[in-house]
């Protein structure tokens, strides 16, 4: 092998290494609660969850709808908003709307599932099982 062939191979190897190094990116920084809680949709979801926990269901319903309208980024968050809306509708006796929200939750996140205690609830459990059969 001549010097020019070795030099060419070394140059190609160096160029390939530089190309690969340039393509490598640092991993993205983790996203925390404080990062997302300032986004309008996620803030509305958090406000809705607090209102729901405080039994302020009209406020919670409004906040969940706003969160969905503003475009929650996470499929899991969208499913959670729809799940809570389903619970509100079921508790108010609006069973058609309850079923529709469970369907939307499932569409938002194909892995959506109620916990065993939620699925066993006497009001929304049967409606949920109709939408998401075992």
């Amino acid at each position: 092998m001549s010097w020019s062939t070795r030099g060419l191979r070394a140059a190609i190897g160096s160029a390939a290494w530089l190309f690969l190094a340039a393509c490598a990116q640092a991993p993205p920084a983790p996203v925390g609660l404080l990062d997302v809680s300032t986004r309008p949709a996620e803030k509305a979801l958090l406000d809705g969850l607090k209102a729901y926990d405080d039994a302020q269901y009209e406020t919670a319903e409004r906040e969940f709808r706003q969160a969905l309208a503003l475009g929650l980024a996470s499929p899991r968050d969208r499913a959670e908003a729809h799940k809570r809306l389903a619970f509100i509708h079921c508790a108010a006796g609006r069973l058609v709307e309850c079923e529709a929200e469970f369907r939307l939750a499932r569409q938002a996140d194909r892995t959506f599932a109620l916990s065993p205690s939620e699925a066993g609830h006497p009001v929304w459990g049967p409606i949920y099982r109709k939408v998401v059969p075992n």
Side-chain angles (χ1 to χ4, degrees):
M1 175 171 8
S2 71
W3 176 254
S4 62
T5 305
R6 273 190 256 171
L8 181 61
R9 284 187 178 176
I12 291 173
S14 295
W17 184 86
L18 287 173
F19 176 76
L20 291 174
C23 291
Q25 298 178 9
V31 178
L33 178 60
L34 296 177
D35 297 320
V36 298
S37 66
T38 58
R39 297 178 192 164
E42 284 73 9
K43 182 178 181 327
L45 176 62
L46 289 172
D47 291 345
L49 292 170
K50 176 157 183 1
Y52 185 91
D53 288 344
D54 293 341
Q56 301 297 314
Y57 300 118
E58 288 181 24
T59 301
E61 182 175 357
R62 185 175 59 251
E63 292 293 338
F64 294 139
R65 292 202 183 287
Q66 182 177 7
L68 290 163
L70 290 170
L72 289 165
S74 163
R76 187 173 174 196
D77 287 349
R78 289 192 303 274
E80 183 69 22
H82 286 297
K83 176 183 92 169
R84 298 299 178 110
L85 287 168
F87 289 173
I88 292 168
H89 288 309
C90 278
R94 299 185 302 256
L95 304 183
V96 171
E97 292 87 348
C98 176
E99 182 178 337
E101 290 296 340
F102 278 134
R103 289 188 191 287
L104 290 169
R106 187 66 167 190
Q107 287 174 4
D109 180 2
R110 297 306 295 166
T111 66
F112 166 74
L114 294 183
S115 70
S117 63
E118 291 170 333
H121 190 277
V123 176
W124 56 70
I127 295 170
Y128 167 75
R129 285 188 295 279
K130 184 174 151 184
V131 173
V132 184
N134 290 338

